[in-house]
Amino acid sequence: MLDNMILKSVNDEIINSHLQQGLACENEEFLQYVIALINKTPRSDRSITMAELRNIKKTITTIPTGQQRHLLRAVDNVLFYLHQHCAWQLPEPELKHFHDTQLAWMQLISLQAHDASALYQAYQEYKHTFLQHRPELDIAFITLALSIEVAPLSLCYWTEVLNDPASIEIVDNQLTLVVYHQTPAARHSQQPPYFTRYALTPFSCRLLINYFNSKPDKITLKTLHHALDQFLSQAPFYLVPRNAALWQHCFQQIWLVQYQFPCVLLLDISQPHRHVAFVPQLPHPQYKQHIKQIYDQDWIAPAYHTFTANKVKRWPHLVLLKAIKTQPSSQWPTLLSTHFATPPPWPYDDIIANIMYYFTYDLIKFGGVRATTLSPNSISKYTHIYRQLADYPLSYVEACDHNALMNWATKVYAHFDKDTERWLIYNFLRFLPQMSVTEHFDISQFSSPLLSATVDPFRLSVDQCLLTVEALLSQSTGNPLQRLFCTTALILGFYGALRRGEVLRLRCQDIIGDVDNKNQFTLCISNTAEGNTKNKQKRFVYLSLPAAIAKLMRIVIYIKRGCLPTTPLLGFNNESMTSRQLHYLLPVTKALKTLWGANVRFHHLRHSGAHWLMQQGLQLALALPQSPMPLGKSTTAMLTERRCRERFDFWLEGRPFSHVNDGLLFDVIGDQLGHSHYATTRWSYLHGIEWLTPLFSINDNGYKQSELRYLLGIGPLSNDVSRFLNAIAPDYRQATTHQKQHYTLMLTALELTPHLLKKKGFKQLKSVTPQQTSISEPNNENHLLSLWLEHCTVDIALIDSHQPTARRYNYQSKKLLGTLNTDKQAFSALSEFWALSGRHQPIIFTKQQRQALQQLGQMSVDVDTRTLLLTIHCNKDNGIYFQQVFRSPVFKCCQFAFALQHNRKTRIDKNKALIDTYFATKKDTVSIHKLNTGSTQLSITVRFIPQAPWLFQMLCDFLTHH
């Protein structure tokens, strides 16, 4: 059952969602009745069936009074809210009612058509007068300018903006306005404070700067509404007063007609709570050092499926809590950076204590969701559930597996009965995605489906993706194939916008290159033996990759050409899904967190791919030759007209975009992502809205000198504007005096902004991004391949970093990579060797082993039969030497046969005991031959199992390497 707080929040949200669009809504008592009927059916996902709806309506129709009409209308109100705000999937018949509601909203907007047209023309006239005479700022004019140039928001949002001087932020040289969500759920203590961003025009930004500099008093919604009524009733507007919803409809009509915003996108920009923006993150302070460690195995590696989990005995977070209690909060950062600079190592059997340590560490360092500093008592309150968590161990391997992790969390959550305790465990679970090992945790399964869905917003640019690719390829740690598979996982996640599980389950048969364009690929995302897609449906994803990226994809496909079609694309043959997660996804997550911020997860690659896919589609629809946004070089290259057409070539099939039904664009994009509804794409993946309005050329008439003077903060008749124009406009410098007097600067708002950011007023604004990442796409398609090979070594024997006297067997040398290119069956043979010789564990040959091999004497090698032959005396010393060398993991890929040449005059019991104790195991073959003369000797035949003479030769070369 829903508690009263959540029930009240849901009711408020339903009413608020209708008021924001000026739509009628039933009273709270009727909504509450319908919610109770819906909530009777337990559900694990956000959907409702037609059968459930029929039962609900059947129950309502049993009521003999007029309440029945109100309740049936309340059903429509609730379903509208669930679909629009909570991402519920409704049966097809009910979607028709939803479209009827949208139509009613559009009709309300169209009723304002006449006044909206007059308002827009009068605004342009008044703006010219304002720039010439600079009257005292009026909150009504500021609201009008924001509503026409930024977004047609409701007056309650503009009231909050005008009361918040910190609402202006610079993101990647773009002026943006931060607008916090005002829905009741947004203020709920269990949710982070969601916000979105809007693109500010230079004029609207200067208005706000000047307004905030005047240090105005706080205003209320009533004050703003009254001021707008008064202001727009005067010249040159002459409009009659109206309620706040009708003013918003009037502004929306301007965006619909003057800027030609489609209905769906108009709704998007009108309601901030339809999308969530994010704050760009800073890289790890020691990212140059940490990026070198992404392939390091930071857990104790047991044999898979053979370990047992034990209860936690030590809780290192208690040491943290004890330390801060004796120090003032001002000393906590120093305490953390000195005494707690090195975190505890990860055990394999139970990592809960470590996660609790990091959780506590972050609470101390960064505070809570709403308070920057928490008291020690509050931190103790957030973490005191550790005693109950001790009964639910979580191994490192289980944490890396999505299903195992979710099953563990479900059991833990069910253990707590009280609401206060459930909130504490919910808060702890919400921290799990911040950790590399548990970054795939889905917290949405633990929030009420009747509240707005949670979202973890972030995206990367193409430039950031390419830098991450280079980081993955260029590390000296990690084996070459591991680095290649990790890079492939990153490429599929970003360019294919695939989910984590879809990347892991993609098989060799599921990726096909285009015969006409080697940079294009088709992916088949379907149910496999390892798992199903999220909606259980098959879909096809079409990739168009940069040439250097496509070359890497073709290499992976080519080296696995001899494998079975059902072999996963990532990893070795028969490698478990758990192992692939640990070794090909976890390093990617570590790299992302190191380079782009601790909150970044592998799933954000999908967010990024979805965003840039939408950008490419909108540019095609709006016939833009390139993106107007200030982006990095590689991202800009991805958004050229040619690349956009290639990305949608599967749909266009060579036709101009104008020849297809552009109304299907969002459906086509949703199909690529596996989404049934645009609402899912919008809420979960298209973060912020500051990228949308610049695509529609809202201010494409240039900047007259009167407006430039206002933007620069100089007088309306000042000639200082000439100095500014001389600096940025070559054609102004060459113009005649008469031309200069009537000169209009033909730049877009985004092009003008970098010049304004150097001027007074603008340069004081807060920037929330580090320097923008920008690199050029490689011109040479072999650039990334060369980078990968450059960090692959020729030597097969490398010095071990932990034991300088030991040698590491580098069987993935450049020679082996060349063999994979020429031998179709080479990868299968390599997979067999990998599986038999310790899998991902490094093969180390110590100094003592090398000395023991020398003591055993000369070996004869037969490459054709892949055998080694040793003939030694059968004694204890040789037995010990044999164990040191041949019972190491690398020789698990070999079979042993022992032939004892026994002199018949000596006792055989001793030699048999030596063989059983020091040489042979139950799997080995032992034969005894009697000699009439000669000394007793033991012949050992070591046969290399994989049928790959080149692999055997490499092993022999390593053993004899000095």
Side-chain angles (χ1 to χ4, degrees):
M1 294 294 291
L2 291 173
D3 60 46
N4 291 331
M5 182 182 294
I6 294 179
L7 182 59
K8 178 69 167 62
S9 180
V10 172
N11 284 331
D12 290 345
E13 285 214 47
I14 295 172
I15 295 171
N16 186 59
S17 67
H18 284 73
L19 288 177
Q20 289 241 347
Q21 295 191 46
L23 300 172
C25 187
E26 289 297 332
N27 294 332
E28 185 174 318
E29 58 178 304
F30 300 118
L31 298 174
Q32 188 170 326
Y33 183 87
V34 173
I35 292 170
L37 291 178
I38 292 176
N39 199 50
K40 279 184 178 180
T41 304
R43 65 189 76 249
S44 59
D45 59 352
R46 293 172 181 259
S47 65
I48 190 168
T49 65
M50 200 64 218
E52 289 179 75
L53 283 177
R54 278 196 291 267
N55 288 335
I56 290 171
K57 292 179 179 180
K58 184 177 180 180
T59 302
I60 292 174
T61 53
T62 60
I63 298 174
T65 68
Q67 284 190 15
Q68 186 180 127
R69 293 191 304 276
H70 294 281
L71 289 172
L72 289 174
R73 286 197 293 265
V75 171
D76 291 337
N77 295 150
V78 173
L79 292 180
F80 173 79
Y81 159 76
L82 292 177
H83 183 273
Q84 283 280 79
H85 294 257
C86 302
W88 277 47
Q89 294 186 17
L90 306 183
E92 192 63 35
E94 289 302 319
L95 288 177
K96 293 179 181 178
H97 290 295
F98 169 72
H99 294 311
D100 291 343
T101 307
Q102 291 286 79
L103 180 61
W105 171 67
M106 290 300 295
Q107 288 174 337
L108 290 172
I109 291 175
S110 65
L111 292 175
Q112 305 297 318
H114 179 271
D115 286 353
S117 178
L119 176 59
Y120 182 74
Q121 298 302 324
Y123 169 74
Q124 302 300 331
E125 179 184 341
Y126 184 86
K127 181 179 177 181
H128 177 72
T129 303
F130 175 86
L131 294 171
Q132 292 291 342
H133 301 287
R134 310 281 181 88
E136 184 178 347
L137 282 176
D138 188 304
I139 57 173
F141 175 63
I142 297 174
T143 303
L144 179 62
L146 292 170
S147 298
I148 292 179
E149 294 196 5
V150 178
L153 304 187
S154 64
L155 296 187
C156 59
Y157 275 109
W158 289 134
T159 303
E160 191 166 282
V161 166
L162 292 173
N163 287 328
D164 183 11
S167 58
I168 306 174
E169 291 182 348
I170 301 171
V171 179
D172 290 334
N173 279 339
Q174 185 184 9
L175 300 169
T176 69
L177 185 69
V178 173
V179 179
Y180 282 90
H181 295 185
Q182 292 184 358
T183 58
R187 296 193 176 97
H188 199 276
S189 60
Q190 291 191 11
Q191 301 290 356
Y194 287 156
F195 67 94
T196 193
R197 293 186 191 279
Y198 285 87
L200 277 175
T201 61
F203 177 68
S204 61
C205 185
R206 172 56 82 176
L207 282 176
L208 286 174
I209 291 172
N210 291 350
Y211 176 72
F212 292 137
N213 286 342
S214 68
K215 298 182 180 178
D217 296 331
K218 295 285 185 181
I219 63 171
T220 64
L221 173 61
K222 184 177 180 181
T223 304
L224 181 60
H225 186 192
H226 177 71
L228 195 64
D229 280 343
Q230 290 292 106
F231 182 77
L232 294 181
S233 65
Q234 303 170 6
F237 304 100
Y238 302 113
L239 297 176
V240 298
R242 63 202 69 194
N243 64 41
L246 292 181
W247 279 127
Q248 186 185 17
H249 290 162
C250 196
F251 299 138
Q252 288 168 334
Q253 177 68 18
I254 292 175
W255 285 77
L256 183 68
V257 175
Q258 299 296 332
Y259 305 142
Q260 297 182 354
F261 258 66
C263 170
V264 174
L265 295 181
L266 178 60
L267 194 57
D268 283 352
I269 65 168
S270 301
Q271 299 184 345
H273 56 262
R274 288 171 69 86
H275 28 79
V276 182
F278 60 92
V279 178
Q281 301 292 307
L282 291 172
H284 194 283
Q286 291 87 37
Y287 76 94
K288 290 184 179 178
Q289 179 61 34
H290 278 243
I291 200 67
K292 298 176 182 178
Q293 301 170 0
I294 57 174
Y295 292 109
D296 290 353
Q297 188 171 288
D298 58 1
W299 71 96
I300 302 171
Y304 298 126
H305 316 301
T306 61
F307 58 88
T308 56
N310 300 314
K311 283 189 178 182
V312 173
K313 296 181 180 179
R314 293 178 62 254
W315 292 91
H317 80 282
L318 296 177
V319 182
L320 273 173
L321 290 174
K322 184 177 180 181
I324 64 170
K325 286 181 180 178
T326 60
Q327 298 284 342
S329 59
S330 60
Q331 296 299 314
W332 290 357
T334 304
L335 184 70
L336 294 177
S337 61
T338 53
H339 293 77
F340 298 96
T342 304
W346 290 95
Y348 72 83
D349 57 346
D350 191 356
I351 64 171
I352 290 301
N354 289 63
I355 296 177
M356 183 60 75
Y357 172 87
Y358 284 105
F359 179 53
T360 308
Y361 187 98
D362 272 22
L363 288 174
I364 295 170
K365 186 175 181 178
F366 302 108
V369 170
R370 301 184 183 275
T372 55
T373 303
L374 297 175
S375 67
N377 288 338
S378 294
I379 298 173
S380 296
K381 174 187 173 183
Y382 280 122
T383 59
H384 89 268
I385 54 172
Y386 75 94
R387 296 184 186 278
Q388 292 96 320
L389 289 174
D391 296 326
Y392 295 91
L394 178 69
S395 71
Y396 196 103
V397 174
E398 287 173 327
C400 286
D401 182 84
H402 175 74
N403 292 332
L405 179 63
M406 297 308 298
N407 290 337
W408 171 85
T410 302
K411 291 178 183 177
V412 171
Y413 192 78
H415 173 80
F416 295 89
D417 298 320
K418 298 180 181 177
D419 288 341
T420 53
E421 290 182 333
R422 285 204 162 186
W423 156 236
L424 290 174
I425 191 61
Y426 176 87
N427 200 47
F428 174 74
L429 294 176
R430 207 169 68 188
F431 176 74
L432 294 182
Q434 309 305 314
M435 308 299 300
S436 296
V437 65
T438 53
E439 57 94 24
H440 49 91
F441 180 76
D442 183 9
I443 189 60
S444 65
Q445 295 190 22
F446 297 89
S447 57
S448 170
L450 295 172
L451 289 175
S452 298
T454 57
V455 62
D456 180 15
F458 192 83
R459 67 171 171 266
L460 278 75
S461 66
V462 182
D463 303 76
Q464 290 172 316
C465 176
L466 281 175
L467 283 174
T468 312
V469 165
E470 292 187 352
L472 290 169
L473 291 173
S474 61
Q475 302 310 311
S476 57
T477 54
N479 291 321
L481 288 177
Q482 183 186 14
R483 297 199 294 269
L484 182 62
F485 290 143
C486 286
T487 305
T488 304
L490 174 71
I491 293 169
L492 291 170
F494 183 88
Y495 288 96
L498 301 189
R499 298 180 178 91
R500 178 187 176 96
E502 292 169 349
V503 171
L504 282 170
R505 294 192 301 271
L506 194 72
R507 301 164 298 183
C508 293
Q509 69 183 29
D510 295 332
I511 179 168
I512 301 172
D514 191 316
V515 294
D516 298 321
N517 188 332
K518 61 182 181 180
N519 297 332
Q520 292 184 326
F521 301 86
T522 300
L523 308 180
C524 177
I525 310 302
S526 61
N527 301 331
T528 72
E530 292 185 312
N532 298 327
T533 60
K534 190 171 184 179
N535 60 4
K536 308 295 191 297
Q537 300 294 318
K538 178 193 290 188
R539 76 179 192 275
F540 292 94
V541 177
Y542 301 90
L543 304 186
S544 178
L545 304 177
I549 293 285
K551 185 65 175 280
L552 293 179
M553 291 297 297
R554 294 199 302 274
I555 288 171
V556 175
I557 296 170
Y558 190 71
I559 65 175
K560 304 194 78 169
R561 64 196 182 281
C563 302
L564 292 174
T566 54
T567 302
L569 184 69
L570 299 183
F572 294 95
N573 295 357
N574 301 315
E575 184 173 0
S576 70
M577 196 168 179
T578 299
S579 175
R580 302 200 304 274
Q581 290 183 93
L582 280 173
H583 296 97
Y584 310 130
L585 298 195
L586 186 57
V588 177
T589 299
K590 290 179 179 179
L592 293 172
K593 289 182 177 293
T594 298
L595 291 173
W596 313 119
N599 293 338
V600 186
R601 304 187 290 127
F602 188 93
H603 191 68
H604 287 134
L605 297 173
R606 175 169 163 84
H607 290 217
S608 310
H611 173 81
W612 298 117
L613 177 63
M614 177 64 74
Q615 291 287 296
Q616 289 177 314
L618 287 175
Q619 283 192 205
L620 281 177
L622 298 172
L624 298 177
Q626 60 186 21
S627 173
M629 301 296 294
L631 303 168
K633 296 175 183 177
S634 294
T635 309
T636 301
M638 184 187 193
L639 297 175
T640 60
E641 184 178 7
R642 178 183 65 83
R643 293 283 291 278
C644 292
R645 286 192 59 82
E646 285 182 353
R647 183 64 179 84
F648 284 89
D649 186 58
F650 69 93
W651 181 36
L652 299 176
E653 296 179 334
R655 297 169 293 182
F657 188 85
S658 58
H659 289 191
V660 298
N661 183 356
D662 58 4
L664 297 176
L665 176 62
F666 290 172
D667 293 327
V668 171
I669 291 173
D671 288 342
Q672 291 290 285
L673 301 172
H675 294 160
S676 301
H677 304 285
Y678 166 68
T680 306
T681 308
R682 167 185 49 77
W683 171 253
S684 298
Y685 298 98
L686 305 181
H687 309 308
I689 207 71
E690 74 280 0
W691 48 267
L692 179 61
T693 51
L695 299 177
F696 282 81
S697 302
I698 292 167
N699 184 9
D700 57 357
N701 297 319
Y703 291 87
K704 297 184 182 300
Q705 294 184 45
S706 58
E707 184 170 359
L708 288 174
R709 290 187 180 98
Y710 181 70
L711 296 179
L712 295 171
I714 58 180
L717 300 176
S718 174
N719 286 326
D720 284 349
V721 71
S722 297
R723 187 182 309 143
F724 178 73
L725 290 170
N726 275 322
I728 70 170
D731 58 331
Y732 178 82
R733 294 194 295 268
Q734 299 170 3
T736 65
T737 302
H738 177 75
Q739 289 172 331
K740 286 182 178 180
Q741 291 174 350
H742 300 87
Y743 181 81
T744 298
L745 181 64
M746 296 308 296
L747 292 180
T748 66
L750 293 171
E751 292 168 339
L752 180 61
T753 297
H755 303 290
L756 293 177
L757 293 179
K758 304 172 185 176
K759 303 301 178 181
K760 185 178 179 180
F762 289 97
K763 66 181 180 182
Q764 282 79 31
L765 295 175
K766 176 185 176 184
S767 177
V768 295
T769 51
Q771 184 175 2
Q772 188 180 51
T773 304
S774 181
I775 62 169
S776 298
E777 270 190 6
N779 292 324
N780 182 0
E781 72 165 13
N782 293 317
H783 170 75
L784 295 176
L785 170 61
S786 301
L787 181 65
W788 176 54
L789 293 175
E790 180 184 330
H791 291 83
C792 301
T793 60
V794 176
D795 296 335
I796 58 172
L798 303 176
I799 297 175
D800 185 62
S801 57
H802 301 292
Q803 305 177 64
T805 60
R807 295 294 178 266
R808 179 163 56 87
Y809 182 23
N810 178 40
Y811 61 90
Q812 292 185 28
S813 63
K814 283 189 176 180
K815 182 178 180 181
L816 178 132
L817 300 177
T819 305
L820 293 177
N821 188 49
T822 57
D823 186 347
K824 182 178 180 180
Q825 299 302 325
F827 189 83
S828 296
L830 177 64
S831 296
E832 187 178 11
F833 171 75
W834 167 85
L836 293 170
S837 60
R839 298 178 178 267
H840 287 284
Q841 300 311 305
I843 298 173
I844 305 299
F845 213 56
T846 64
K847 182 179 180 181
Q848 290 76 15
Q849 286 176 301
R850 296 200 304 274
Q851 291 173 342
L853 185 61
Q854 289 179 348
Q855 292 295 329
L856 289 173
Q858 188 69 30
M859 294 186 298
S860 61
V861 178
D862 189 335
V863 176
D864 293 335
T865 60
R866 309 185 310 284
T867 57
L868 295 172
L869 181 62
L870 277 171
T871 301
I872 58 175
H873 293 295
C874 186
N875 55 44
K876 179 180 178 181
D877 289 342
N878 284 338
I880 293 173
Y881 295 145
F882 176 84
Q883 286 187 335
Q884 287 179 330
V885 175
F886 292 101
R887 292 310 178 192
S888 57
V890 66
F891 285 101
K892 289 182 179 178
C893 64
C894 297
Q895 293 175 336
F896 296 89
F898 299 90
L900 180 64
Q901 308 293 330
H902 173 66
N903 190 299
R904 63 183 180 84
K905 296 179 180 179
T906 59
R907 293 184 58 183
I908 198 171
D909 296 346
K910 180 181 179 182
N911 289 333
K912 278 186 175 181
L914 286 170
I915 291 173
D916 292 341
T917 304
Y918 295 102
F919 293 98
T921 65
K922 294 181 179 179
K923 296 180 181 179
D924 300 330
T925 302
V926 179
S927 59
I928 300 175
H929 306 279
K930 291 185 179 181
L931 299 175
N932 292 326
T933 59
S935 59
T936 299
Q937 290 183 323
L938 180 63
S939 295
I940 306 173
T941 302
V942 183
R943 192 178 71 83
F944 190 69
I945 297 173
Q947 297 184 17
W950 47 273
L951 263 179
F952 175 69
Q953 183 63 62
M954 285 177 61
L955 179 59
C956 294
D957 292 343
F958 173 70
L959 295 176
T960 57
H961 186 276
H962 296 292

